Amino acid sequence: LLGDDYDAIAENMKKGIGFFLPGFHGTEEEGLRNIVDNQLSPSPLARSAFAEKALENAGRIGATQYILLAAGYDSFAYRQPDWAQKLQIFEVDLPDTSRDKARRVEGCGWEKPKNLNNVEGDLLQSDWVNVLQSLPTFSSQRISFCSMLGFSYYVDKEAFASLLHIL
């Protein structure tokens, strides 16, 4: 989904090799690979793998809806395994982020999965709840599994607590 942005991000990261890897000796490509493999990738990959395994287990015991709060550029809906196709997936994020992701997905030539629902709204406001509840594919009577991966980095403690009260 990064598309052309990948090269710009990689170049900026190469400029920061000294910060990320003090005393590193090697090529820029080796430094970049080291940063990505050992510093940047492990946390998001591990939390996604954990959430997806927990979602699979939740599906086994009755969850039929997956709500990704602050979905960002998460790609689960586009690479979902067979067991997930019985779920209704709801990606909640800011309108600009949702639209940019849709543009990038289209640029990849991917089709929107039939069980994917986009919910535009600000998690720090309660408007997204109304949008979610108004969708015909959502039911407050069904068991939902929610994930919120990485969002807490961007908000203060009070705003995060307020969101948890909404949930």
Side-chain angles (χ1 to χ4, degrees), residues 81-156:
D82 291 339
W83 58 261
Q85 294 177 16
K86 66 181 178 185
L87 301 171
Q88 283 297 316
I89 301 171
F90 302 91
E91 292 188 345
V92 183
D93 215 321
L94 295 167
D96 288 346
T97 304
S98 294
R99 292 176 194 143
D100 185 55
K101 180 178 181 177
R103 179 186 61 77
R104 291 170 183 267
V105 164
E106 185 178 310
C108 291
W110 299 347
E111 287 188 35
K112 182 179 175 181
K114 291 181 171 116
N115 62 336
L116 175 59
N117 305 268
N118 297 100
V119 180
E120 294 183 354
D122 185 342
L123 290 176
L124 301 179
Q125 307 295 321
S126 60
D127 64 327
W128 67 272
V129 175
N130 296 329
V131 174
L132 175 65
Q133 291 177 337
S134 72
L135 294 173
T137 52
F138 179 80
S139 172
S140 60
Q141 303 304 309
R142 292 192 211 129
I143 298 173
S144 297
F145 180 91
C146 297
S147 69
M148 184 172 19
L149 307 176
F151 179 73
S152 63
Y153 303 132
Y154 303 104
V155 296
D156 62 37

Side-chain angles (χ1 to χ4, degrees), residues 68-87:
L68 289 93
L69 300 167
Y73 298 97
D74 189 288
S75 61
F76 176 78
Y78 297 92
R79 56 180 174 76
Q80 60 183 286
D82 291 339
W83 58 261
Q85 294 177 16
K86 66 181 178 185
L87 301 171

